[in-house]
């Protein structure tokens, strides 16, 4: 499993209705993309749920590198580049994936933090996988994942939820659409 995300931070007075309309018109285009586990079309609006910015920030979990590369280099990503410029695309190696009991992804929660200095990598990774399992067990959680960017030694915890969390300091996004053609094939549990 591979995680991927890019963020388009938009002007403070940007009409986020433009992004909503774009997703309503184009979101379905990845509903059957080969190699894609899921794509959550995410936005944050300045002043809503603690967001300091207007942002469009789609998040992906890929089943295959080929599917991800076809998206990036075979045309799928070109529309974003044409309309907004080419953003930096972050990638993380999957550590864990868990399904929750929630059914409708309305919000996404993202938490990023560095690996604790001096702690063995195996222990930190195991703890990250345990955290994904804990998040998935929370009421209203649809799914949870943990991943790592080894170029920065940054951990990522990501979850989709039915309800917005109550101010725990994480980044909260609204889900506009969920394309999930290969969600059922995402490997469950620890990825090692």
């Amino acid at each position: 499993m591979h995680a991927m995300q890019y963020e388009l931070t938009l002007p403070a007075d940007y009409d986020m209705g433009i992004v909503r309309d774009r997703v309503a018109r184009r979101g379905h285009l990845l509903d059957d993309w080969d190699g894609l586990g899921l794509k959550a079309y995410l936005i944050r609006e300045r002043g809503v749920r603690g967001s300091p910015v207007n942002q469009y920030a789609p998040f992906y979990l890929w089943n295959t590198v080929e599917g991800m590369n076809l998206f990036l280099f075979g045309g799928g990503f070109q529309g974003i580049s044409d309309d907004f410029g080419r953003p930096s695309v972050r990638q993380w190696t999957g550590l864990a994936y868990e399904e929750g009991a929630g059914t409708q992804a309305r919000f996404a929660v993202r938490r990023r933090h560095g690996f604790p200095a001096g702690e063995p990598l195996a222990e930190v990774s195991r703890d990250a996988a345990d955290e994904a399992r804990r998040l998935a067990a929370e009421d209203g959680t649809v799914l949870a994942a943990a991943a790592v960017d080894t170029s920065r030694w940054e951990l990522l915890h990501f979850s989709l939820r039915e309800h917005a969390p109550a101010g725990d300091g994480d980044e909260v996004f609204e889900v506009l659409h969920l394309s999930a053609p290969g969600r059922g094939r995402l490997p469950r549990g620890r990825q090692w």
Side-chain angles (χ1 to χ4, degrees), residues 110-157:
R110 179 181 71 185
R111 182 180 342 124
R112 297 177 294 183
H113 56 88
F115 266 61
E119 290 192 35
L121 297 177
E123 289 181 23
V124 175
S125 300
R126 185 193 65 239
D127 291 347
D130 290 347
E131 177 67 0
R133 188 170 35 263
R134 186 194 70 72
L135 287 170
E138 287 183 356
D139 184 47
T141 299
V142 176
L143 60 87
V148 61
D149 175 347
T150 55
S151 72
R152 299 177 186 211
W153 290 109
E154 176 186 74
L155 282 172
L156 166 77
H157 292 281

Side-chain angles (χ1 to χ4, degrees), residues 156-171:
L156 166 77
H157 292 281
F158 179 82
S159 59
L160 293 178
R161 302 178 185 195
E162 293 178 335
H163 311 286
D168 57 4
D170 296 333
E171 295 169 296

Side-chain angles (χ1 to χ4, degrees), residues 1-3 35-39 60-64 96-99 143-145 179-189 191:
M1 179 183 74
H2 305 278
L36 177 62
L38 65 90
K39 175 181 180 178
Y60 304 74
L61 290 176
W62 293 96
N63 281 316
T64 69
Y97 175 79
E98 302 287 349
E99 285 283 326
L143 60 87
S179 292
R183 179 176 164 192
R185 292 185 300 279
L186 286 167
R188 304 295 194 278
Q191 307 289 307

Side-chain angles (χ1 to χ4, degrees), residues 6 8 22 72 76-87 89:
Y6 48 89
L8 301 170
R22 176 189 179 87
L72 288 171
F77 185 65
Q78 192 62 48
I80 286 291
S81 295
D82 290 347
D83 292 349
F84 294 99
R86 187 181 310 146
V89 179

